[in-house]
Amino acid sequence: MQFNKKVVCFSFILILFISSVGINVYADEKQNLKFDEARSFSENLAAVKINGKWGLIDLKGNFVVPAEYENISFYKGTAIIKIAGQYGVISTSGKEIIPAQYEEITYCKDWRNTPQNELLAVKQGGKWGVYSTTGRQIVPVFYDKIEINFNRTINVVLNSKVGLLDESGHTIIPVGYNFISSSLQWDEKDPVKNLSVVRQGDKWGIADRSGKELIPVVYDRVSMGTNLIRVQKDKKFGFINYRGQEVIPLKYDEDWRYAGYYYFSEGLAAVSVAGKWGYIDERDRTVIPFEYDSGHPFKDGLAVVALNKKEGLINKENKVIIPLQYDNLYYLAQLYNGSTMYAGDNLIIVKLNSKEGVFDTDGQEIIPLKYDYISSIGDGLFKVQLDNKYGVIDKTDKVVIPIQSKVYEYIIYDDSKNFRVFGEGKWKFYKQNGDQLISNEYDYALPFAHGLAPIKVNDKWGYVDMKGKLTSWSYQ
């Protein structure tokens, strides 16, 4: 066989050229991947690890806190640092606030692991106390366990007994109960917000801010509502007011499967008698007859009910909005990032014969029942599964990110209104409309914040902008 030497030579040169271009591009990326690890920006700062140590950089890549710590996390001008195995607190300008002499220091955090207030729990010698982020000691390092609540109250545990302190460290409820809940916030004008559910042994009651038992600890279960308190004893429940007076007798049946539904919502409560559910008002008058197998709380004038193992949607006049012919109905609120937040639209996920679709609260089908799984990810977008394929659609059933088999293992929609998609071992960025935001792909990627996203290539991290350009910060 005869070969054209010019063609062979040209092909070889072309391959070398393409290879050299690929090497140069990779080299350019590699020299801008400066960090051992990097986190997303927040408050115009980001925690980065370089040469095995953590520090804080600003949006221009300048270190505002030197990279000299074993770990660092920050919130509203303060940072918890770890050095020589001990924890302390500094300002985000580097000034010491609490010496690094504690076994552990933690912020009060929500379900997203985001700090919620300026109180810090500190641990030393196996005991816990509380400091403010200004360095003032609020609770001495004395307790076996401490939990800082969102409302700035503090649950303390000593010898397996619980008490409640205010944000200044003063006693609200003395240590002595087996459990104390925290109310949403202290508000002198709203008695509900000044109360805590308490437990002693297996009995429950309610204590006020002075520690007085407003409702005696004699009930099997207690749950506070806006106007009335649900109480349960001997598998029957009823309602009392905040003066401890019985308003609705303890005559309704307890069913542990629906324990979360026994409260008043929009003036009505779902209750059951002899296995049938109906709705009563706060004067114990039957508003919706006892004809259902279960009933959910009302939301925006509508409630999910079940009959003969099928679910549907009714209004307060007991008019059927969505026929009781589906296996399950879910408000989007129940599926939105695992929280109690609403997805923004009054839409309901409907399931029948293992297929899911979406209806509006007028009973109109918005998305056909054809998907194996649907969940809201916000902004009118849904992550869907179909025959082991994953993608994203909008509420008109238009495909935003193609539904592809095993290509997308994770699809994450974040606060930047962009998608991070993981598949075939790589992460990619997509716009809200489904167009690819950046053509490059990465070994790992975190969300955009302040126009920059941390990305990982091989073992190094850097930051890219929304055009895919790597920052070119220089360090010694």
Side-chain angles (χ1 to χ4, degrees), residues 3 17 57 64 109 118 121 138 148 156 184 189 200 219 223 234 247 261 311 363 389 394 414:
F3 292 97
F17 173 75
I57 60 171
V64 296
K109 296 182 178 181
E118 292 79 30
I138 294 171
I148 301 172
V156 294
L184 294 178
K189 297 179 181 179
Q200 191 69 278
Y219 294 101
S223 178
D234 300 327
V247 176
Y261 302 159
E311 292 188 344
K389 302 175 183 180
D394 66 16
D414 57 46

Side-chain angles (χ1 to χ4, degrees), residues 251-283:
K251 64 182 182 180
Y252 294 107
D253 298 336
E254 180 268 341
D255 189 331
W256 62 268
R257 296 173 300 170
Y258 307 106
Y261 302 159
Y262 301 138
Y263 61 87
F264 278 93
S265 174
E266 301 181 5
L268 299 179
V271 294
S272 64
V273 174
K276 286 298 181 180
W277 287 68
Y279 290 82
I280 60 172
D281 64 16
E282 292 182 358
R283 296 174 66 180

Side-chain angles (χ1 to χ4, degrees), residues 51-87:
N51 299 324
K53 297 292 183 181
W54 286 91
L56 298 179
I57 60 171
D58 61 20
L59 290 167
K60 294 182 179 180
N62 300 315
F63 274 94
V64 296
V65 173
E68 56 187 29
Y69 299 104
E70 294 163 25
N71 207 341
I72 192 167
S73 60
F74 64 95
Y75 173 67
K76 288 189 176 180
T78 62
I80 298 173
I81 52 92
K82 182 181 181 182
I83 189 167
Q86 299 291 302
Y87 289 87

Side-chain angles (χ1 to χ4, degrees), residues 113-186:
N113 206 34
T114 302
Q116 291 299 294
N117 58 45
E118 292 79 30
L119 298 179
L120 300 162
V122 302
K123 183 181 181 182
Q124 190 175 50
K127 297 291 186 178
W128 288 86
V130 176
Y131 276 81
S132 71
T133 51
T134 61
R136 180 172 62 90
Q137 188 179 61
I138 294 171
V139 178
V141 181
F142 172 73
Y143 294 98
D144 299 330
K145 185 178 179 182
I146 277 180
E147 181 179 347
I148 301 172
N149 303 311
F150 299 162
N151 61 4
R152 304 174 69 88
T153 58
I154 304 163
N155 285 65
V156 294
V157 179
L158 186 64
N159 299 324
S160 300
K161 296 293 185 178
V162 185
L164 187 68
L165 312 180
D166 66 17
E167 62 182 300
S168 299
H170 301 135
T171 298
I172 298 172
I173 300 175
V175 172
Y177 291 100
N178 295 120
F179 172 85
I180 297 177
S181 71
S182 65
S183 55
L184 294 178
Q185 63 187 37
W186 293 120

Side-chain angles (χ1 to χ4, degrees), residues 33-59:
L33 297 166
K34 306 290 185 181
F35 306 112
D36 304 331
E37 195 171 339
R39 298 171 186 161
S40 293
F41 275 91
S42 174
E43 303 170 25
N44 296 319
L45 298 174
V48 295
K49 186 178 183 181
I50 190 169
N51 299 324
K53 297 292 183 181
W54 286 91
L56 298 179
I57 60 171
D58 61 20
L59 290 167

